[in-house]
Amino acid sequence: MSLNLDKNLKLYYSIAEVAQKFGINESTLRYWEQEFPYLKPKTRGAGKVRQYSDKDIEQIQLIYNLVKVRGFKIAAAKKIINANRTGADKTAEVLSKLIEIRDELQLMKKQLDAII
C-alpha cells in the first residue's frame, strides 16, 4: 500500500484560515453564514469555534465568485444560486480556472520580459 502525499489531511479550517485564503474579513464570513442558509460550519466548544470543511470552503468559493469577483449584490447572488445551483457552481469553477490561467500567463510574461 502506498501513501498518498497529495491528499489534504486537514479536515477542518478555522475562520481565520478561511478568511485569509479568500482575502476577506472574518465578519464577512459570519455575515455570509446568516445570508446563505446552506453555509453552516461546524461549531465546537463553549466559544462556538467555527470549523469549516472542504464542502463549506466550496460554498464560500461560489459566494465569493458571485459577490466579490463578479460584483453581484447578496440578493442577486442568492437568486442565482437558488435558480440554477449547478450552473452557478460550473461558472464559479470556470472562473477560478480562468483566473489561475491568467496568473500563470502573467508570470510567464514577466519571466520572458526578464530574459529579453
Side-chain angles (χ1 to χ4, degrees):
M1 181 187 326
S2 66
L3 179 63
N4 184 358
L5 299 176
D6 293 331
K7 189 172 179 180
N8 188 359
L9 299 178
K10 193 165 187 175
L11 297 177
Y12 294 102
Y13 302 86
S14 72
I15 192 169
E17 290 172 315
V18 176
Q20 183 180 11
K21 174 181 172 52
F22 290 99
I24 57 177
N25 295 324
E26 293 175 19
S27 60
T28 301
L29 286 172
R30 289 188 209 98
Y31 177 70
W32 287 353
E33 288 172 23
Q34 293 172 0
E35 293 296 319
F36 298 93
Y38 50 83
L39 181 58
K40 294 286 183 212
K42 181 180 174 182
T43 56
R44 191 174 81 188
K48 298 215 178 198
V49 175
R50 287 170 171 82
Q51 296 180 319
Y52 293 89
S53 66
D54 288 333
K55 183 181 175 190
D56 293 324
I57 292 174
E58 287 174 15
Q59 302 294 327
I60 293 166
Q61 179 71 47
L62 175 60
I63 296 166
Y64 179 84
N65 282 331
L66 289 172
V67 175
K68 297 292 186 181
V69 176
R70 297 182 65 195
F72 287 104
K73 304 273 187 208
I74 296 289
K78 281 187 207 179
K79 193 173 185 178
I80 289 169
I81 291 170
N82 290 336
N84 188 3
R85 179 63 189 216
T86 307
D89 284 340
K90 295 248 185 252
T91 301
E93 198 175 304
V94 168
L95 188 58
S96 293
K97 190 64 177 172
L98 286 172
I99 290 169
E100 223 175 270
I101 292 169
R102 180 199 64 196
D103 293 343
E104 287 179 29
L105 288 171
Q106 287 174 340
L107 179 64
M108 291 164 121
K109 184 181 182 314
K110 285 180 184 176
Q111 291 172 341
L112 286 172
D113 288 344
I115 293 172
I116 296 175

